[in-house]
Amino acid sequence: MKHIGILLQALVFSCFLLCPAGSPLLAADYPFGLLLVGPANDHGWSQAHFEAGQAMEKVLPGAKMLYIDKVNPADRQGITIPMLVDDLVSKGAKLIIGNSDDMKDGIREAAAMHPEVQFIHISGDDAITGKSGVNLSNLMGRMEYGKMMAGFVAAMTSQTGKIAYLGPLINAETRRLTAAAYLGARYAWTEVLKKPAADLKFKVSWIGFWFNIPGVTSDPTLVTNSLFDAGHDVVISGIDTTEALVVAGQKKKDGKAVWAIPYDYQGACASAPDACLGVPYFNWIPGYTKLIGEAISGKWKQQFLWLGPDWQAINNPATTTIGFMPGNALGDSQKQALTEFQKALAGGLNLFTGPLNFQDGSSFLKAGTTATDDQVWNLPQLLLGMDGASK
Amino acid sequence: MKTLVSLGHFLYNRTATMILIAALALGAVSLLLLTLGIAPTTIAVAIAHGSIFSWQKFSHVLSLWIPLLLCSCGLLFTFRAGLWNIGVEGQIICGAIAATALLREGSFGLPPALILTLALALSFFGGGLWGSCAGLLKNRGGVNEIFGGLGLNFVAQGLILWLILGPWKRAGIASMSGTDMFVKELWMYTPPGWRVAPAALLLALATFALTAFLLGATRFGLTVKATGNNPLAARLYAIHPERTGLAAMAIGGGLAGLAGGLQAACVYHRLLPPISSGYGYLALLVVMLANYRIAPVPAICLFFACLAAGSIQLPIVLQLDSALSGVIQGACVVSALLVHGLQKRHKGEN
């Protein structure tokens, strides 16, 4: 026993002697922190932010990203947002980005603790509601346009007229995005394909969070399978990960005529390109460049940025916040129709135009009226014609 | 003189055991890291830097230490009584739910300290009730406390999800982010520059002292020990093993519930689905690593809390997955079990 102990201690000691300590963080003029709700390589929401953060190191001289991924209570049990912010600030971070609606409370608390640090909360609206100090701004993309395109290509491709939406949790953001997808699908169905609106079925299934948490959320793989089994042939994903597309790809290999539309990340179709109709994605580079650039140059001011597509070049990474990358599975005629649809949107087509009713039958927009930004941002219910929970 | 020599031998043996466990755990982890091409010193320095090199970081460590210590104290009661209380996670959740039931209603115009005290008392009651359920299932239904505890964990998880997504959801939003935050006056006071509430710290220290006293210096402690060591023989001394076991489960659950109450009142200021943060399972490892003894528990809890807080550095500084801290924890426990097992075997051969 004693000999084993001596041997092991010698082993540990030699390990420590053999291996030098790693180098500390490199000095940078402007370190900024990025808190990612999911893994940095999720092929979805978090990866889009991570890559934009990396781009800042090239676009903004002196900028250096410090990031922590999987910042959610399930993956980092016991660790809170203020705790992570404290750590990033101690490493010199002068600006911190929280990339999830889920971080709203924690970012607000941390911003109050560190008034000398600037914060960007993605997808929140504290800058409008006044719930935070002037050191917190909000940034979001007008993904409604991306979702309209997703709904459009879904309806143009569907053979059954049954489209499903794999939703995360229910809040104002997810309601407006889901409604936008429905409006895009309905436009394709009624205005392009000239079919009766009643023949279009649009089912929404919420899993409970932005990604799968075993034992807590519904399993997106199982939910997608059940949606396909129920006869839906296109699933539009609203969650941060690619399960819907992966399932569609497996079924496609089995000879089924099904498709999926992932979300968030430009390269998301790579998981199953042959089943992918395209992906509406966020490109955070313009928003990050503006807000971090202003902070670096001492011109920071609290603001709420809700940036849309660059209609002249919808996939230009330097200028567009919302893009749509057509997938391999999108047919030529559908692709042509999508181009026309994009031109119409760029020309002023607004699908949030009345008459539109809420799911419970009450009036949302009277004939001829268009929704204000506030009405779209705070959409209280799904729309009539959509099948799924609103609250 | 003989006593001093015996004490010297005792301390020498204990120290040697701890060194052996540490060496075994560190050796295993170091080998793993070297295989992955990572220097063990790099990891050690990063974790230490992120946990103990500043008061702010150390106070974060303390905020993790408190619930872990409370749960571990609760487990000392149940392990002493010969019971495996696997339901700690559920008991934490029930404690948090009980505290939230009061805190979400506001202060009713009463002093916040009174409301917070009541909320923590409720959390002890809530966790104790849940622990008692596992005890009653064992006593009355013949359900092994391991399976009863596990089952009740699932029920508690379902209950908290239902409350957060249902009756206690935020206005218009069913969010996994949890309930609305409590009004700020009901956040436990934390001085500027601190990240842990002094009152919570004192409560944890007092709980540990009381646990040590109850288990080590009272008739109740002796009764619990007798029940755990030999329930059949305990009956000869007019001890009721079922009743004692139930009391141990209730106290253990109560302390876990208190941890849940502090999580809601002090750390998150709201109720959220993963409020238990895995402390229930981690506390099991702590008590096993302590070889079911009281004295080493605070230090082991502190070590685990340092690992948890310091592991944040791994992705930031080294771009490594912080799950590595879980590997270190696991290696420590496996090493401890191995060393204790070898010691028992060695004694048996002699």
Side-chain angles (χ1 to χ4, degrees), chain B residues 94-221:
Chain B
C94 287
I97 289 173
T100 303
L102 180 62
L103 293 174
R104 66 187 295 273
E105 298 298 336
S107 65
F108 305 102
L110 295 169
L114 176 65
I115 298 292
L116 281 166
T117 307
L118 281 173
L120 292 181
L122 273 177
S123 69
F124 183 86
F125 181 74
L129 196 66
W130 211 246
S132 304
C133 287
L136 283 172
L137 279 172
K138 182 181 174 67
N139 287 353
R140 304 287 176 199
V143 180
N144 185 291
E145 76 274 9
I146 295 177
F147 300 116
L150 269 179
L152 288 168
N153 282 351
F154 285 112
V155 176
Q157 190 65 44
L159 181 64
I160 196 172
L161 280 172
W162 174 71
L163 285 169
I164 289 170
L165 301 179
W168 291 355
K169 72 180 178 188
R170 296 175 184 220
I173 302 171
S175 171
M176 294 291 288
S177 307
T179 60
D180 274 321
M181 293 189 102
F182 308 141
V183 291
K184 200 149 187 181
E185 62 180 356
L186 292 180
W187 295 17
M188 235 177 208
Y189 172 69
T190 306
W194 289 48
R195 295 296 183 259
V196 61
L201 196 56
L202 288 174
L203 187 61
L205 288 170
T207 302
F208 175 71
L210 190 63
T211 301
F213 174 71
L214 281 175
L215 288 178
T218 64
R219 187 180 173 80
F220 174 70

Side-chain angles (χ1 to χ4, degrees), chain A residues 1 5 8 12 15-16 19-20 22 68 70 73 76-78 83-84 86-87 90-91 102 105 170 175 208-209 216, chain B residues 19-20 23-24 27 34 39 41-42 56-57 60 64 170 172-174 176-177 195 274 277-278 312-313 316 321-322:
Chain A
M1 192 73 179
L8 286 169
V12 173
C15 286
F16 275 69
C19 302
I68 311 174
K70 295 189 276 185
R76 297 203 184 280
Q77 296 190 334
M83 193 184 284
L84 297 174
D86 278 344
D87 195 78
S90 75
K91 289 181 168 53
D102 187 51
D105 297 321
I170 309 173
R175 277 193 293 263
F209 199 61
V216 176
Chain B
I19 289 172
L20 197 57
L24 198 59
L34 286 171
T41 42
T42 310
Q56 193 183 67
K57 285 176 181 170
H60 277 310
L64 303 176
R170 296 175 184 220
I173 302 171
M176 294 291 288
S177 307
R195 295 296 183 259
S277 301
I312 299 165
Q313 303 305 312
I316 302 176
D321 199 304
S322 53

